[in-house]
Structure formats: structure tokens, C-alpha cells
Amino acid sequence: MDINAAQVQLVAVVRRLADEKRADLDRHKENHADINRPDFLWHYLLQSFATMGRSAGWHGLIGNRNNYSRITYSALLDLPDGDRLREAREVCRAAKVRMPDRKGDFIVGCFDRIRDMGGPENAKNQLLAQPGRESKIRWLKEMPGIGDKYARNIMMDVYHEDFRDSIAVDARIKSVSDRLGMSFPSYSEHEDFYLGVAEQAGLNGWELDRLLYNFLGDVLSGLQLASSAAEQGAVPDAPSSRR
């Protein structure tokens, strides 16, 4: 399927779904208040490592208060330098996250960088002082374990104004691309495809990203129905431009 046909098919599905799920999208935008947390950056780094590779890891590392309390910044700060890595790895194993030792390494690596910046609140202020989206992405990618996806997702989780036209390309979004028969040579081209879909559907990138993440089954089912209709000669609705 060519890019235009793939976008038309996906636009028709997500436009209808966005109308149905508008209240859910608006509720997720309320996380914007979390950016005021002094430990905003540390908390969302931990959340990134919890869900990296498997969303269910959130329950073991973040949702489990005993595990979470052992890897707050202040808890790790209270430990001797030689004990932090052992503690972080043990907590990640107890939480049953994927690649626990590697994520323990990431947590301690981030701790060291943030301590050098003067602590979580100073680090957060440095991040927020970066001018524009691309500078913030570059800054976050200097944190151990944080790549293109999570450098976007951390800021998207709090609906930051610089990231409302962003896509955190992950396995779920790749499954939509696979269903459409699309592949992309780079992260930026993959993101641009979905930003084009969002614009045609009258959404911002964040809204499309959260629809695809939270309602993946509905999207894939809609695409399957659209594909079946196309095979029978039906023509999907043409996309409208953003107003």
C-alpha cells in the first residue's frame, strides 16, 4: 500500500475513534499537572524503565509502593556509593521488569547524572530550560537508557506543550504500520507518517499517539474492516484538513 492510501485508511479509523474516546483523551491530558512535581524527571525516568519492553512492568516497579520506595532518588542517595547498583538491580528483579540488571544499571547511571546536576529539581529545571522540542529530546537522550521513544514519551506523558505534535514510536505503533504494510527507514520518517495522519484526522500528534496506545485493538479491528471493505470495492471517506 502506498503512503497516501495508508494514511487515508488510518485517518478514517482514528477520526471515528477520537470522537468516541474524546473524554478518555481529555482525562489523560490532566497529567500535565505532574510537571510541577519536584521529582518529575526522576519519577518519569523510573516509569520509563518500568514499562520499557513491557507495559505491565509498571505494576511491579511503580505501582508496588514497597519496590518504588526503595528506588526514589532520596532512598538511593541515602545508600553508600557501592550499594546503589546492587539495590537497583534487586528492586528491578523483585518488580519482574524485563532486563532487570540492565535497567538497574540505567537507574544508577541516571542517578549519577542527576546528582551531578544538583538533584532532581535542578535537573528538571535544566530540562525545562532547553529551548524547544529538539533540544529537550537531545538533553533527555543523554540520560542512560533513554532513546528516541522515551525522550518523547516522558514529556508526552505530562502533555508538555512542546511535545503535542510528537509520536512515541513503539511496538504498538509498529503493529499498526505492519497492518498497513508500511515500513520506514528512520524514526523521524515513521513519526512524520503518523503526524500526517494526525493532521488529516483533525488531531494533534499526542492525541493520535494516545489513541493508538490505549485503543490499539479498536484501531486494528477498524483497519481490518476497512481493508475488507476496500477488497469489496468500497471507498473510504476522504480525510479533511485540520480546521
Side-chain angles (χ1 to χ4, degrees):
M1 185 182 299
D2 68 43
I3 255 186
N4 291 333
Q7 286 186 327
V8 166
Q9 191 174 108
L10 185 54
V11 164
V13 171
V14 299
R15 185 192 288 128
R16 288 192 294 269
L17 188 60
D19 288 341
E20 295 171 11
K21 305 299 185 182
R22 176 54 55 188
D24 296 276
L25 288 174
D26 290 343
R27 187 174 67 254
H28 286 296
K29 291 175 183 178
E30 293 172 5
N31 285 342
H32 184 66
D34 271 4
I35 207 162
N36 296 319
R37 294 174 55 148
D39 68 341
F40 151 71
L41 177 59
W42 184 255
H43 175 74
Y44 279 89
L45 284 168
L46 291 181
Q47 189 159 273
S48 298
F49 298 136
T51 59
M52 193 176 287
R54 184 174 59 200
S55 296
W58 185 95
H59 299 287
L61 195 63
I62 308 299
N64 183 310
R65 303 314 293 175
N66 180 60
N67 288 337
Y68 182 82
S69 68
R70 293 171 61 189
I71 52 167
T72 62
Y73 181 85
S74 59
L76 291 180
L77 185 63
D78 287 341
L79 294 175
D81 287 349
D83 290 348
R84 288 193 192 96
L85 184 57
R86 173 187 53 77
E87 179 76 351
R89 287 178 172 182
E90 285 183 1
V91 172
C92 287
R93 290 188 201 116
K96 295 181 168 42
V97 300
R98 292 192 64 196
M99 303 176 294
D101 286 356
R102 189 176 183 202
K103 290 180 178 178
D105 295 349
F106 291 157
I107 289 169
V108 173
C110 289
F111 173 89
D112 289 340
R113 288 188 64 84
I114 288 173
R115 181 176 59 174
D116 289 346
M117 295 177 195
E121 191 162 13
N122 283 345
K124 177 188 91 165
N125 291 337
Q126 287 188 36
L127 166 62
L128 297 181
Q130 300 302 307
R133 188 186 91 137
E134 298 309 315
S135 293
K136 291 180 177 69
I137 288 173
R138 284 193 296 272
W139 192 96
L140 282 164
K141 286 173 67 176
E142 293 177 1
M143 289 289 168
I146 300 301
D148 282 316
K149 175 196 169 182
Y150 282 101
R152 289 161 171 79
N153 198 60
I154 286 170
M155 305 305 288
M156 292 173 70
D157 273 349
V158 292
Y159 199 53
H160 189 279
E161 54 271 20
D162 287 346
F163 287 79
R164 293 178 187 175
D165 266 318
S166 298
I167 303 290
V169 177
D170 62 4
R172 297 186 188 207
I173 285 176
K174 289 175 183 175
S175 72
V176 175
S177 300
D178 289 344
R179 178 63 61 89
L180 291 167
M182 302 299 299
S183 62
F184 302 90
S186 68
Y187 188 104
S188 60
E189 289 176 78
H190 210 158
E191 183 178 35
D192 286 345
F193 170 83
Y194 282 94
L195 291 176
V197 170
E199 182 175 8
Q200 292 176 49
L203 305 170
N204 65 31
W206 182 95
E207 290 167 329
L208 176 61
D209 180 279
R210 301 297 128 150
L211 280 176
L212 297 179
Y213 181 82
N214 291 294
F215 307 106
L216 178 65
D218 296 306
V219 173
L220 294 177
S221 295
L223 289 175
Q224 183 61 46
L225 289 172
S227 179
S228 298
E231 288 173 3
Q232 295 170 18
V235 179
D237 295 336
S240 61
S241 59
R242 185 190 295 245
R243 289 188 285 272

